[in-house]
Amino acid sequence: MLGGIMACIAMTSCTSTKQVAYFQDLNPGDQNAIIAESPIRLQPNDKVTIIVSTSDGRLNSLFNLAVSRSTIGGSSSSGSGMSSTSNESTAAFTIDSHGDINFPVLGKLHVAGMTREELAEYVRRELISRDLAKNPIVTVEYLNLTVTVLGEVGRAGRQVINKEGYTILDAIGQAGDLTIYGQRDNIKVLREENGMQKVYMVNLNDGKKLIQSPVYFLRQNDVIYVEPNNTKKRNSTPNGNTALTPAFWISLASFVASMSVLIVNQTK
């Protein structure tokens, strides 16, 4: 009887490893088509830097608005022990609620819905067509594009989209990977589409389906939620599942063993 109880304890206290490994269906040499990359398109409230480079330094300073940032430190001859220095960075353009930015000289430009490359080419063409620059080089960089990762990960919070083709694996990696308690097979991805929030499900155990998911490539403001597994849920409940905890079964085994000894002594 005691042996059976201890076996029950072992089964109850152990966490199943069946769903821990990622990409369980993938084998060496497999080749699987990845869904076509969905490029990030600019939305209201996104911030970008737009840098125009020409052979004329005066034009560069005209198109590239600089922001001065003062810093305090060092020493000065006045004896105060403090000196002020400044460095400059290129100003950011915030896309307004109508999808526009106000660019120097060119004025208002509608940029919502464009990719980074499309915006750079749009500004370049405008400069040439208005005879403002002959062969400008235009560079666009994202500034505040992020996704949010919540739940059973190492470092929950906002993760910066730092490259084109940013995937859910990139976001999870930046967040410190899933903990051992995170469910791999039903990760939720929340995405705003046409004024509505749509929920997608992702299974990290199934590598073939993962790379075909419409949320394999992420967009700005996506939210990823990793739900805790049943073991974590039980451990998080102080009273509701006491009978499922290892401590309960150890106490029960001790009680049964004591009762067995008592019954044996009484039958002698």
Side-chain angles (χ1 to χ4, degrees):
M1 179 183 293
L2 182 59
I5 293 174
M6 295 307 295
C8 182
I9 294 172
M11 288 187 294
T12 304
S13 60
C14 290
T15 300
S16 173
T17 59
K18 182 179 179 181
Q19 299 299 324
V20 171
Y22 300 163
F23 321 131
Q24 295 181 22
D25 60 323
L26 300 184
N27 298 297
D30 284 354
Q31 296 187 39
N32 302 294
I34 299 176
I35 191 173
E37 180 182 339
S38 177
I40 293 174
R41 297 191 175 275
L42 296 171
Q43 303 174 1
N45 297 319
D46 286 349
K47 291 183 179 181
V48 294
T49 60
I50 304 175
I51 301 175
V52 177
S53 299
T54 71
S55 58
D56 190 334
R58 293 172 298 178
L59 288 178
N60 294 341
S61 60
L62 179 63
F63 295 124
N64 302 320
L65 298 180
V67 176
S68 294
R69 295 175 296 175
S70 296
T71 57
I72 304 298
S75 60
S76 69
S77 59
S78 63
S80 63
M82 305 291 288
S83 65
S84 177
T85 62
S86 65
N87 50 48
E88 293 183 343
S89 63
T90 303
F93 296 90
T94 301
I95 302 172
D96 66 21
S97 59
H98 302 290
D100 302 330
I101 61 172
N102 194 15
F103 194 79
V105 183
L106 296 180
K108 184 171 290 188
L109 302 176
H110 186 73
V111 301
M114 293 184 180
T115 66
R116 183 169 61 176
E117 291 182 354
E118 289 170 348
L119 174 55
E121 179 60 20
Y122 176 40
V123 172
R124 191 186 73 85
R125 288 199 311 265
E126 287 294 310
L127 293 172
I128 294 174
S129 65
R130 301 189 194 188
D131 201 24
L132 296 171
K134 290 185 177 181
N135 296 299
I137 298 174
V138 181
T139 305
V140 177
E141 296 290 345
Y142 303 130
L143 282 184
N144 70 331
L145 271 58
T146 62
V147 298
T148 302
V149 185
L150 303 173
E152 285 297 325
V153 293
R155 297 182 299 275
R158 288 186 177 181
Q159 308 300 331
V160 176
I161 297 176
N162 53 16
K163 66 172 187 174
E164 298 289 349
Y166 186 82
T167 71
I168 188 171
L169 299 179
D170 292 318
I172 289 174
Q174 280 185 274
D177 201 1
L178 274 65
T179 71
I180 193 64
Y181 298 110
Q183 292 193 39
R184 272 77 171 152
D185 58 352
N186 65 340
I187 296 174
K188 294 183 177 69
V189 179
L190 284 59
R191 172 174 291 174
E192 292 183 11
E193 294 181 343
N194 302 318
M196 303 289 289
Q197 185 181 77
K198 188 171 182 179
V199 180
Y200 294 88
M201 303 300 294
V202 174
N203 182 358
L204 295 183
N205 299 139
D206 192 332
K208 294 178 182 178
K209 289 184 179 179
L210 171 65
I211 60 176
Q212 289 294 319
S213 170
V215 292
Y216 178 68
F217 291 104
L218 297 177
R219 301 177 188 170
Q220 65 269 49
N221 305 320
D222 282 351
V223 177
I224 303 166
Y225 174 63
V226 181
E227 185 177 354
N229 61 19
N230 290 332
T231 300
K232 182 62 176 289
K233 291 176 182 178
R234 286 196 298 266
N235 292 341
S236 299
T237 305
N239 298 315
N241 292 298
T242 302
L244 298 178
T245 63
F248 171 83
W249 290 108
I250 293 173
S251 299
L252 179 61
S254 177
F255 171 76
V256 172
S258 299
M259 291 300 295
S260 298
V261 172
L262 180 60
I263 291 171
V264 169
N265 290 337
Q266 289 180 347
T267 55
K268 287 182 178 181

